[in-house]
Amino acid sequence: MFSAVPRTGYVVFCVILVLTCSLYPVLKTLCVQIHSAVTGSYVAGYHSVLLVNCPTEQTARDIGRSIMEKRLAACVNIFPRTTTICFICIYFLVVIMFKSVILTGTHLCSLRAVHPYDIPEIISFPIDDGSQHYLKWMEDAVTDI
């Protein structure tokens, strides 16, 4: 016959196991942030580079200005007209590169709102490493997201 104490211990163990597994991403991020604060090391992936295609240079300037007014990016680079080959079509586009901290879905929606395309190409790449002084400048230049 089973006693109540081992069964209760088993239930508690299972609940702790399920909570730990479900909270793992949050706990991992928290541990990395604490480690970074204590050691002064860089947290990979906190900053990002976004690439956005635009139909014209004026559209790119308008989008860049809109993002900079909201301080969602530390810097905006607008590259000259490029040729894009997609399936059987050839497009001439202007590429914008934003350097920022990781943007959330809400902030990307504000970027989509000012973009003329129904489905704009917005691609984000995490920055794994870089100049500590530049990354700190980026962090200071962007408002708290």
Side-chain angles (χ1 to χ4, degrees), residues 23-35 43:
L23 294 175
Y24 175 75
V26 173
L27 294 173
K28 180 181 176 190
T29 303
L30 183 62
C31 289
V32 168
Q33 294 291 338
I34 290 171
H35 178 268
V43 178

Side-chain angles (χ1 to χ4, degrees), residues 24-124:
Y24 175 75
V26 173
L27 294 173
K28 180 181 176 190
T29 303
L30 183 62
C31 289
V32 168
Q33 294 291 338
I34 290 171
H35 178 268
S36 174
V38 170
T39 63
S41 62
Y42 174 66
V43 178
Y46 179 69
H47 299 83
S48 64
V49 172
L50 272 77
L51 297 178
V52 180
N53 283 344
C54 295
T56 66
E57 197 168 323
Q58 185 58 47
T59 304
R61 280 193 204 111
D62 293 343
I63 290 172
R65 197 172 297 116
S66 171
I67 294 301
M68 291 306 294
E69 285 173 357
K70 296 175 186 172
R71 292 193 58 189
L72 295 177
C75 180
V76 175
N77 298 107
I78 300 175
F79 296 102
R81 191 172 116 159
T82 61
T83 302
T84 301
I85 301 172
C86 183
F87 299 111
I88 58 171
C89 299
I90 297 177
Y91 297 97
F92 298 102
L93 300 170
V94 176
V95 177
I96 311 173
M97 181 173 62
F98 297 100
K99 290 169 241 160
S100 184
V101 297
I102 296 295
L103 298 175
T104 63
T106 306
H107 299 101
L108 292 178
C109 284
S110 69
L111 178 60
R112 283 187 212 111
V114 296
H115 202 286
Y117 292 159
D118 291 334
I119 304 172
E121 178 183 346
I122 303 170
I123 301 173
S124 175

